[in-house]
Amino acid sequence: MTRGRIRAKLRRSHLYTFSCLRPNTADGEEPSAVQGSRVIHCNQPELHQKKPLKYCSNFISTTKYNVVTFLPKAIFEQFRRVANLYFLLAAVLSLTPISPFSPVSMIAPLAFVVGLSMAKEALEDSRRFVQDMKVNLRKVGVHKGNGVFGYRPWHKIRVGDVLKVEKDQFFPADLLLLSSSYEDGICYVETMNLDGETNLKVKRCLEVTLSLDDDESFKEYTGIIRCEDPNPSLYTFVGNLEYDRQVFPLDPSQILLRDSKLRNTAFVYGVVIFTGHDSKVMQNATKSPSKRSTIEKKMDYIIYILFTLLVLISLISSIGFAVKTKYQVPDWWYLQPENPDGVFNPKKPSLSGFYHLITALILYGYLIPISLYVSIEVVKVLQATFINQDIHMYDEETANPAQARTSNLNEELGQVDTILSDKTGTLTCNQMDFLKCSIAGRGYGVRSSEVEVAAVKQMAIQEEEEEVDLSNFPMQRDSRHVSWENVKRASEIELETVITSNDEIDHKHTIKGFSFEDSRLMYGNWFKDPNADVHLLFFRILAICHTAIPEHNEATGGFTYEAESPDEGAFLVAAREFGFEFCKRTQSSVFVRERYPNSGQPVEREYKILNVLDFTSKRKRMSVIMQDEEGQILLLCKGADSIIFDRLSKNGKMYEEVTTKHLNEYGEAGLRTLALAYRKLEESQYATWNNEFQKAKISIGGDRDTMLERISDMMERELILVGATAVEDKLQKGVPQCIDKLAQAGLKIWVLTGDKMETAINIGFACSLLRQGMKQICITTMNADTLVKDGKEGVKENILNQITNASQMIKLEKDPHAAFALIIDGKTLGYVLDDNMKHQFLALAVDCASVICCRVSPKQKAQVTRLVKEGTGKTTLAIGDGANDVGMIQEADIGVGISGVEGMQAVMASDFSIAQFRFLERLLVVHGHWCYKRIAQMVCYFFYKNIAFGLTLFYFEAFAAFSGQSIYDDWYMLLFNVLLTSLPVISLGVFEQDVSSEVCLQFPALYQQGPKNLFFNWYRILGWMGNGLYSSLIIFFLNIIIFYDQAFRAGGETADMEAVGTTMFTCIIWAVNCQIALTMSHFTWIQHLLVWGSIVTWYLFLLLYGMMSPLISGNAYQILVEVLGPAPIYWAATLLVTVTCNLPYLAHISFQRCFNPMDHHVIQEIKYYKKDIEDQHMWTRERSKARQETKIGFTARVEAKIRQLRGRLQKKQSVTYAAS
């Protein structure tokens, strides 16, 4: 504790030049006017209990329903399904005397279907509620009066409350920082949940509130804050604090946002400004949407078609019945009812026809299958279970399996066109590793980056294929092999640093943040280099040029570093491993323990820190002016190479050319690079500059930052280049391979991140979303001067011109292999997402191979997702792991949450959750592909069998004077969808596989069957409906022809209605079950049991039903044993009708497989004849074809490399031929 307080007394404000400067209003600067009506009485929350000062509570809810809205909203969701509306109408009509069925038989199935779906919705939403309550019930210290603080749940916090937030706690609301454990009011905040950035932000309080540094000081504290109204802007804040009879302006550097975390600071005090849904993070949130899959939406249109057909045949029946009633019933004296009513009254045929219309609408309801929705629900739940149980998507480190949090969207996984991904925590591990460096023109570091290793592996896999492809070159046969050997040798030379013995290195002890390995530099061997003085300076820049704080680790005896960014932490770890350990920081000095090879013990040196010119995204560099023990003043600088190189002196460019080469190599390897330089300063030179710098630093006015930047820029000139660093932002395991496979599957990938543009670009290279040779299109706003000059319209016009020019450039590009990457920042997106420009932007983005959006807010992530979803009309998937990704996840057609280290907000808002990004490959390419085909085939088959069955009822009506008489027994009709045909179709939806999971991953192009909707387009849907129509005609009329005037029994009797109806129903059961057997590609014992078991069940039912009393079985008494079983015509008719029904489908699939096979047909045949084992060349060739042409991913990078090598080879051959 003592050590913590000593450390807390360090005044850090002198470290920061541009950020967090204390506004000095005491000298007369007027606070700015505040646009907004919000008034907060600090430390007086009771004043905010009545309007107009009553603000929303701190209770948050991300659920779709609540206790009041559940019933109406959930019922509305269910009756958005058109079929459910029809069955609701039918259920109401079943209460009338004109219904052909009992009310229970109509109401019970509907109540079961709707109730089951609503229960499922309630269960899924309850999980969100539980997570919300976990957040709402977190505790935080609140001032209760008289200087006493006590813990209170988050949801009871009110506007105006003074809170005490401790280290590593989340902020429960948007707060104004009043003071911190540090003497000068500095605190460190991690905003990972807001913008995805892992580097810490520095916040500081106003000087006037510094004295409020303990509990007792709030006993009498009051003040008034007047500020802006709630808004979603994370990076702006306008307000004034009225305190101690003065008014002080507030800005974002004093605001602590909800869901950010306090780091490296013992505690802070703050007053609540925005609570609950008024907070900026919640303003960025979007409401939980109701999502429906594409197939489900299309099912509505099919229901419309079937409903139209239902109405049509019902009208025909009612007209026919009216005609029969008027003209023929009077002659049928034996059918006259004793008391004619409206249903059957020859004197009122129109009324009779109308009543019959209602009867027919209910009778022919089998055309619209209510059991379809129940079956789909069951199938989707079982599919979700298989996803949850997939061992290949189980993460052993975190013990997290994949989880289908909603089963409504399983098939949508197979139709994704665009993936929108967060970066930090999703693609990367938030861990920087020092990997390579260049010092005095020499490159060091023999370990390979993940990008290099994976690229070499990919080239090795493709080597054999390329050898075959190179045989197509027009060259002599005997020279071909030699030429290819030359190509391989050339590639080996270029990738010399990649092909190293990583296996020999990996067994060594790994150090977090340090993956460097090179004996020339380690263990003091750098001292032997001729440029040892440059190496010494390089290490000192790493150890001194930063703003980190060391903390002694008592367990290890070493130091850990609390740095603003992971890069700085990696540099300090590297400096320590090289023998330059940063061990202490005081108010004005940095202490480094330097170990030299010729001395046994380390020497602790003190370096006085004179000035720190800190890093900003605009400056892209950081400098420290320090004085060593000999009195020499040096400026040490690190920054982007483009910035540093422009500031080099003539004498400082000695290593520029070779360092540039190294930087390009590091960039190609996906590493983040910085250049290091220095400048020697004379005391008089420094004193003159420092005077100007201090004047600018304490100046008042809006141009202070501009003055500081100009004066800093004057000093950061005439630099001498020392070298460069390369750190690896560790990607999550398998990310590059996953992206490569998804790209081969034809998916487009966008990255939406809150990180800086440079960071996002580096990760783009690491993931192979970007590569060398890819043309980058950067859409940015103009500089501040132009912005002020031309105004908003001028900026918009400039951005539009950039988009237009970029689109034109892409159209004019003639190289078929040219690839474009679009990079845009959040500020520019604010203009681009305007209605006038967003469609042009989207058109440009779609033409680019990859899109990276940087510095985007959570709301912008959601807006971009909506633009892609609505603009392209295709399925989008959003994946992220933080609270800042919730809006994007909810807006996309499918939201995938990563159960990582950033809390559970993203997971709770998601439709599916996985532990690592790499599992997305299997989730989409395997489960998505399977689920799409299963549901599509299942739905098509469902409509087929119900049309085949339902239309036979209509045909019989024509033979029965449209009387409403059914040819089938009521029990037959009840069991048709419930038992006799439901289980085989469920087995199709759960177990069907066109190819195995391994083949799905080997042939990623198969996935495109989903986005292209090959199995649920109108051609296929109408084809299945036509098949149902054909089957119904065959089943009815072929049976009628067979039984019409044929002797049925040994005594010469003809068949009655019960015999004909039962035979027809037998034919239906056989036909539809044989049809589903022909449809299946993959059989398990379960499918055999359910398909053939359904047929056996029909005969068992017929046998048992016939054995019951005639009071129950009616005309079906002993029908199988005594009537149908002994009659050969029954068995012959069943066989003939079944074969005739299925013959056209068999002919169709046979013709298709022979003359126009689909991709999976070819693979099935190869696997069936085991050609994948016997003919490896053919299998490899087919695999290389089964990739969508892509310009991103490792495959695209390797192919670009191979094209380059081929070009060299052809050039060499042409030179050889010319010489000969």
Side-chain angles (χ1 to χ4, degrees):
M1 291 297 292
T2 305
R3 179 177 55 81
R5 283 305 298 171
I6 291 171
R7 178 173 156 271
K9 288 180 179 179
L10 171 63
R11 295 179 66 90
R12 301 192 183 189
S13 56
H14 80 289
L15 298 179
Y16 302 96
T17 303
F18 302 105
S19 61
C20 302
L21 288 172
R22 180 179 293 116
N24 188 347
T25 58
D27 296 332
E29 183 184 359
E30 291 297 323
S32 58
V34 178
Q35 293 183 347
S37 58
R38 196 173 187 91
V39 178
I40 297 108
H41 293 271
C42 304
N43 212 15
Q44 296 175 293
E46 64 277 359
L47 298 180
H48 297 286
Q49 293 179 356
K50 295 182 180 180
K51 293 185 178 182
L53 298 180
K54 187 176 181 180
Y55 304 120
C56 77
S57 73
N58 205 41
F59 183 89
I60 61 108
S61 173
T62 60
T63 57
K64 192 189 299 186
Y65 310 106
N66 59 39
V67 176
V68 176
T69 63
F70 175 72
L71 274 178
K73 285 183 73 174
I75 290 172
F76 170 75
E77 286 293 323
Q78 294 308 310
F79 289 104
R80 284 170 66 185
R81 295 171 168 174
V82 182
N84 283 352
L85 276 177
Y86 163 74
F87 288 114
L88 177 65
L89 176 64
V92 172
L93 292 175
S94 69
L95 298 170
T96 65
I98 57 176
S99 171
F101 307 116
S102 66
V104 174
S105 65
M106 296 300 296
I107 295 172
L110 178 64
F112 175 74
V113 171
V114 172
L116 189 68
S117 299
M118 287 174 64
K120 180 169 150 291
E121 287 281 310
L123 178 64
E124 291 172 352
D125 210 47
S126 67
R127 292 172 184 157
R128 297 190 184 97
F129 174 76
V130 169
Q131 183 61 30
D132 287 342
M133 290 310 297
K134 284 182 181 178
V135 173
N136 287 323
L137 293 175
R138 288 175 181 170
K139 299 290 183 68
V140 67
V142 182
H143 184 231
K144 294 185 174 181
N146 296 319
V148 177
F149 280 74
Y151 287 104
R152 187 182 293 169
W154 277 23
H155 70 91
K156 292 187 177 180
I157 290 169
R158 299 167 294 176
V159 171
D161 273 331
V162 174
L163 307 184
K164 183 179 182 179
V165 181
E166 297 174 350
K167 184 179 178 181
D168 292 332
Q169 286 186 345
F170 288 99
F171 297 113
D174 291 352
L175 312 178
L176 169 66
L177 175 61
L178 297 176
S179 63
S180 79
S181 57
Y182 291 109
E183 195 176 81
D184 51 356
I186 285 280
C187 76
Y188 285 88
V189 174
E190 182 187 87
T191 59
M192 189 188 295
N193 275 345
L194 304 182
D195 54 21
E197 289 198 22
T198 53
N199 59 305
L200 305 182
K201 309 293 190 303
V202 182
K203 302 286 185 177
R204 67 156 312 131
C205 67
L206 295 172
E207 187 172 7
V208 71
T209 61
L210 275 175
S211 59
L212 303 169
D213 59 355
D214 58 24
D215 293 0
E216 283 291 328
S217 59
F218 289 94
K219 192 172 183 179
E220 305 294 335
Y221 168 69
T222 58
I224 296 176
I225 299 171
R226 302 183 190 276
C227 67
E228 63 189 14
D229 292 323
N231 64 79
S233 177
L234 296 174
Y235 306 110
T236 62
F237 181 81
V238 179
N240 293 326
L241 171 64
E242 298 176 10
Y243 178 62
D244 201 19
R245 299 182 183 180
Q246 295 185 59
V247 180
F248 303 91
L250 303 175
D251 61 52
S253 66
Q254 286 107 36
I255 304 302
L256 307 172
L257 299 181
R258 181 188 174 112
D259 276 348
S260 52
K261 183 188 284 188
L262 183 65
R263 297 292 301 275
N264 300 352
T265 311
F267 60 85
V268 295
Y269 291 102
V271 63
V272 177
I273 299 176
F274 298 121
T275 49
H277 290 273
D278 282 349
S279 62
K280 289 184 181 285
V281 68
M282 295 305 295
Q283 288 279 307
N284 274 279
T286 55
K287 291 183 179 179
S288 299
S290 300
K291 297 182 180 181
R292 300 178 73 209
S293 70
T294 307
I295 287 183
E296 190 175 341
K297 291 174 187 172
K298 202 165 191 174
M299 275 168 54
D300 286 348
Y301 293 104
I302 302 173
I303 297 293
Y304 292 143
I305 293 173
L306 292 180
F307 190 74
T308 303
L309 178 62
L310 172 63
V311 171
L312 179 63
I313 62 175
S314 297
L315 281 171
I316 294 171
S317 287
S318 64
I319 293 170
F321 182 74
V323 170
K324 292 274 186 182
T325 300
K326 183 176 182 179
Y327 295 106
Q328 295 184 358
V329 167
D331 299 331
W332 298 342
W333 54 268
Y334 52 87
L335 290 179
Q336 293 290 331
E338 294 182 7
N339 300 307
D341 54 15
V343 178
F344 196 75
N345 192 342
K347 296 179 181 179
K348 298 179 180 179
S350 299
L351 184 61
S352 296
F354 173 75
Y355 282 137
H356 187 78
L357 174 63
I358 297 173
T359 302
L361 285 171
I362 299 173
L363 179 66
Y364 304 144
Y366 282 89
L367 284 172
I368 303 173
I370 189 171
S371 59
L372 171 62
Y373 287 112
V374 177
S375 300
I376 287 179
E377 293 286 352
V378 171
V379 164
K380 286 185 175 182
V381 168
L382 292 173
Q383 288 177 348
T385 303
F386 283 135
I387 291 173
N388 298 345
Q389 298 295 325
D390 191 339
I391 194 67
H392 297 289
M393 293 195 294
Y394 175 78
D395 185 48
E396 293 184 357
E397 290 183 13
T398 59
N400 283 331
Q403 186 180 9
R405 295 178 50 75
T406 174
S407 57
N408 291 343
L409 304 170
N410 294 350
E411 68 273 24
E412 202 81 338
L413 290 171
Q415 295 184 278
V416 176
D417 177 77
T418 305
I419 296 172
L420 300 105
S421 174
D422 174 43
K423 181 194 76 68
T424 307
T426 303
L427 300 178
T428 63
C429 299
N430 305 333
Q431 177 188 333
M432 300 294 177
D433 274 8
F434 189 94
L435 196 66
K436 297 175 186 287
C437 63
S438 171
I439 309 173
R442 291 189 67 181
Y444 297 97
V446 297
R447 277 197 175 185
S448 308
S449 69
E450 293 174 344
V451 172
E452 292 173 304
V453 172
V456 170
K457 286 180 180 177
Q458 191 80 9
M459 287 187 74
I461 291 169
Q462 294 195 353
E463 183 178 306
E464 188 175 337
E465 300 170 31
E466 298 306 325
E467 185 171 2
V468 175
D469 291 341
L470 281 169
S471 65
N472 296 324
F473 281 135
M475 62 181 79
Q476 296 178 3
R477 185 176 179 81
D478 58 351
S479 65
R480 193 175 297 146
H481 178 72
V482 176
S483 302
W484 177 238
E485 288 298 324
N486 290 338
V487 171
K488 290 196 288 184
R489 201 155 43 244
S491 69
E492 287 172 4
I493 291 170
E494 295 202 9
L495 296 168
E496 182 179 357
T497 58
V498 178
I499 308 172
T500 58
S501 57
N502 278 322
D503 294 335
E504 296 177 11
I505 299 169
D506 286 341
H507 74 277
K508 297 183 179 180
H509 176 65
T510 56
I511 300 165
K512 186 177 180 181
F514 188 74
S515 297
F516 181 87
E517 182 71 24
D518 195 323
S519 58
R520 296 172 297 167
L521 216 57
M522 299 294 291
Y523 318 115
N525 291 335
W526 60 269
F527 202 70
K528 302 172 186 176
D529 193 276
N531 293 312
D533 56 333
V534 182
H535 288 66
L536 179 66
L537 204 49
F538 179 89
F539 299 140
R540 283 179 175 169
I541 293 174
L542 292 182
I544 298 169
C545 188
H546 58 80
T547 57
I549 300 294
E551 260 198 357
H552 188 259
N553 189 325
E554 294 177 0
T556 63
F559 291 92
T560 56
Y561 302 108
E562 296 178 354
E564 282 191 62
S565 69
D567 303 66
E568 276 195 354
F571 291 151
L572 288 168
V573 171
R576 182 188 68 202
E577 296 303 312
F578 290 133
F580 293 75
E581 185 177 36
F582 166 52
C583 60
K584 183 180 177 183
R585 182 189 289 278
T586 66
Q587 191 69 35
S588 58
S589 298
V590 162
F591 293 82
V592 180
R593 291 176 185 168
E594 300 182 356
R595 186 186 296 275
Y596 305 103
N598 53 6
S599 63
Q601 295 298 320
V603 179
E604 187 172 296
R605 296 189 182 277
E606 179 185 0
Y607 297 95
K608 292 183 179 179
I609 304 299
L610 304 178
N611 302 91
V612 176
L613 312 179
D614 62 308
F615 182 93
T616 67
S617 57
K618 185 177 181 182
R619 282 167 41 78
K620 297 182 181 178
R621 64 189 182 277
M622 176 200 175
S623 299
V624 168
I625 301 176
M626 66 86 174
Q627 188 174 35
D628 62 22
E629 293 174 340
E630 285 76 36
Q632 176 65 58
I633 299 176
L634 294 175
L635 178 139
L636 309 180
C637 184
K638 65 182 180 186
D641 54 278
S642 57
I643 301 296
I644 300 295
F645 288 175
D646 287 344
R647 286 164 170 72
L648 296 178
S649 66
K650 290 182 180 179
N651 299 329
K653 298 183 178 181
M654 187 185 307
Y655 312 120
E656 182 180 10
E657 185 177 344
V658 66
T659 303
T660 301
K661 180 186 174 186
H662 290 155
L663 286 167
N664 289 337
E665 290 173 0
Y666 300 155
E668 174 65 23
L671 303 178
R672 300 171 60 159
T673 58
L674 286 177
L676 275 57
Y678 77 101
R679 177 183 179 183
K680 288 185 178 181
L681 301 173
E682 299 296 331
E683 284 195 32
S684 57
Q685 181 185 13
Y686 168 72
T688 304
W689 174 85
N690 192 44
N691 286 335
E692 291 188 42
F693 182 75
Q694 294 302 329
K695 287 178 184 176
K697 196 171 181 179
I698 63 173
S699 65
I700 299 167
D703 60 344
R704 178 179 58 194
D705 286 354
T706 307
M707 289 173 60
L708 282 169
E709 188 169 333
R710 178 179 56 80
I711 295 170
S712 299
D713 188 65
M714 289 167 51
M715 178 56 74
E716 294 168 322
R717 295 281 177 181
E718 300 300 310
L719 302 177
I720 298 172
L721 183 64
V722 175
T725 61
V727 297
E728 184 174 29
D729 189 352
K730 279 293 199 184
L731 296 174
Q732 286 193 10
K733 183 181 177 182
V735 164
Q737 294 83 351
C738 176
I739 287 178
D740 188 44
K741 194 71 74 176
L742 294 174
Q744 291 178 34
L747 292 158
K748 304 177 186 69
I749 301 172
W750 292 32
V751 174
L752 310 178
T753 176
D755 267 0
K756 299 186 291 291
M757 185 176 287
E758 300 81 14
T759 308
I761 289 173
N762 283 326
I763 293 302
F765 277 105
C767 298
S768 288
L769 290 172
L770 303 176
R771 56 181 166 82
Q772 296 293 95
M774 184 180 275
K775 298 175 183 177
Q776 295 181 17
I777 300 169
C778 292
I779 309 293
T780 58
T781 51
M782 300 173 291
N783 59 50
D785 296 337
T786 315
L787 182 62
V788 173
K789 182 179 176 182
D790 293 348
K792 191 174 180 180
E793 292 304 318
V795 176
K796 282 187 175 181
E797 186 177 345
N798 177 270
I799 295 171
L800 188 58
N801 287 337
Q802 291 182 60
I803 293 173
T804 305
N805 294 338
S807 299
Q808 194 67 20
M809 179 175 69
I810 294 174
K811 287 178 183 176
L812 296 175
E813 179 60 57
K814 295 181 180 178
D815 182 5
H817 300 297
F820 296 88
L822 177 62
I823 301 162
I824 187 169
D825 60 30
K827 188 176 181 181
T828 312
L829 264 179
Y831 294 100
V832 166
L833 293 173
D834 188 71
D835 289 338
N836 300 328
M837 210 184 303
K838 62 183 181 184
H839 296 296
Q840 292 96 316
F841 165 72
L842 182 62
L844 171 63
V846 168
D847 288 337
C848 292
S850 59
V851 180
I852 298 176
C853 303
C854 329
R855 280 293 187 194
V856 290
S857 67
K859 194 155 196 170
Q860 284 178 324
K861 287 185 177 184
Q863 289 172 335
V864 170
T865 305
R866 186 184 306 125
L867 174 63
V868 177
K869 180 176 72 172
E870 295 176 354
T872 63
K874 296 178 180 177
T875 304
T876 57
L877 180 147
I879 179 169
D881 70 327
N884 59 318
D885 304 313
V886 168
M888 172 175 75
I889 285 170
Q890 291 181 335
E891 186 61 52
D893 294 301
I894 306 169
V896 178
I898 298 218
S899 47
V901 296
E902 291 193 36
M904 294 293 289
Q905 292 96 327
V907 170
M908 293 308 300
S910 67
D911 306 303
F912 299 87
S913 71
I914 52 179
Q916 296 273 323
F917 182 88
R918 61 192 164 98
F919 297 138
L920 187 64
E921 173 189 350
R922 188 173 180 86
L923 184 65
L924 297 185
V925 177
V926 177
H927 290 284
H929 174 71
W930 283 347
C931 290
Y932 162 71
K933 291 190 74 172
R934 289 166 176 171
I935 295 292
Q937 289 180 310
M938 175 185 171
V939 172
C940 287
Y941 172 79
F942 235 109
F943 287 121
Y944 149 79
K945 74 181 182 68
N946 277 72
I947 288 174
F949 174 58
L951 286 180
T952 57
L953 292 167
F954 171 67
Y955 303 149
F956 181 73
E957 284 295 283
F959 280 76
F962 298 104
S963 61
Q965 172 66 47
S966 170
I967 193 172
Y968 307 119
D969 187 283
D970 286 352
W971 276 98
Y972 299 174
M973 298 176 70
L974 183 64
L975 292 177
F976 177 75
N977 281 322
V978 174
L979 182 64
L980 300 176
T981 61
S982 60
L983 296 180
V985 77
I986 288 174
S987 73
L988 173 72
V990 176
F991 298 107
E992 170 64 359
Q993 294 179 16
D994 54 347
V995 292
S996 66
S997 60
E998 292 79 10
V999 172
C1000 283
L1001 296 171
Q1002 290 173 340
F1003 291 78
L1006 283 174
Y1007 183 81
Q1008 278 299 303
Q1009 292 178 341
K1012 292 177 181 176
N1013 204 17
L1014 297 183
F1015 287 87
F1016 206 66
N1017 53 28
W1018 284 112
Y1019 171 79
R1020 191 169 287 264
I1021 292 167
L1022 294 175
W1024 275 99
M1025 287 183 170
N1027 191 17
L1029 175 63
Y1030 164 80
S1031 296
S1032 69
L1033 291 168
I1034 294 298
I1035 289 167
F1036 184 82
F1037 288 104
L1038 196 53
N1039 272 296
I1040 290 296
I1041 291 169
I1042 291 171
F1043 286 99
Y1044 191 72
D1045 52 8
Q1046 295 291 323
F1048 177 67
R1049 308 182 75 171
E1053 302 96 329
T1054 56
D1056 61 1
M1057 185 183 77
E1058 193 67 29
V1060 174
T1062 306
T1063 306
M1064 279 189 193
F1065 199 82
T1066 303
C1067 293
I1068 290 172
I1069 298 301
W1070 269 99
V1072 298
N1073 280 293
C1074 288
Q1075 174 68 69
I1076 202 170
L1078 287 172
T1079 304
M1080 291 177 179
S1081 304
H1082 174 74
F1083 273 95
T1084 64
W1085 67 268
I1086 298 174
Q1087 285 148 298
H1088 280 296
L1089 176 67
L1090 295 180
V1091 172
W1092 311 121
S1094 294
I1095 297 174
V1096 173
T1097 301
W1098 160 242
Y1099 285 111
L1100 287 174
F1101 166 77
L1102 209 56
L1103 177 66
L1104 296 173
Y1105 186 54
M1107 292 170 65
M1108 291 182 180
S1109 165
L1111 296 174
I1112 298 173
S1113 58
N1115 294 332
Y1117 180 70
Q1118 295 291 352
I1119 192 166
L1120 180 63
V1121 176
E1122 296 183 3
V1123 181
L1124 298 179
I1129 196 171
Y1130 167 72
W1131 302 103
T1134 301
L1135 177 64
L1136 179 62
V1137 171
T1138 301
V1139 171
T1140 308
C1141 283
N1142 286 287
L1143 206 56
Y1145 181 79
L1146 185 62
H1148 163 71
I1149 59 174
S1150 301
F1151 180 85
Q1152 185 183 40
R1153 283 178 176 270
C1154 290
F1155 300 103
N1156 189 26
M1158 299 180 76
D1159 292 338
H1160 64 284
H1161 291 153
V1162 176
I1163 297 168
Q1164 285 171 353
E1165 196 157 329
I1166 292 173
K1167 295 290 283 186
Y1168 180 78
Y1169 289 107
K1170 298 184 179 179
K1171 290 292 183 182
D1172 56 318
I1173 300 171
E1174 297 171 4
D1175 191 345
Q1176 285 288 331
H1177 282 289
M1178 181 186 73
W1179 183 247
T1180 304
R1181 185 177 66 248
E1182 291 299 324
R1183 280 185 60 187
S1184 65
K1185 290 178 184 177
R1187 299 195 303 249
Q1188 288 291 304
E1189 185 177 345
T1190 179
K1191 294 174 182 176
I1192 61 172
F1194 275 118
T1195 301
R1197 177 175 278 183
V1198 171
E1199 287 174 351
K1201 186 77 174 177
I1202 290 169
R1203 281 196 300 272
Q1204 182 185 8
L1205 295 174
R1206 279 178 173 167
R1208 292 182 190 174
L1209 182 62
Q1210 287 180 318
K1211 187 181 288 186
K1212 185 175 180 180
Q1213 289 296 325
S1214 61
V1215 171
T1216 304
Y1217 290 146
S1220 60

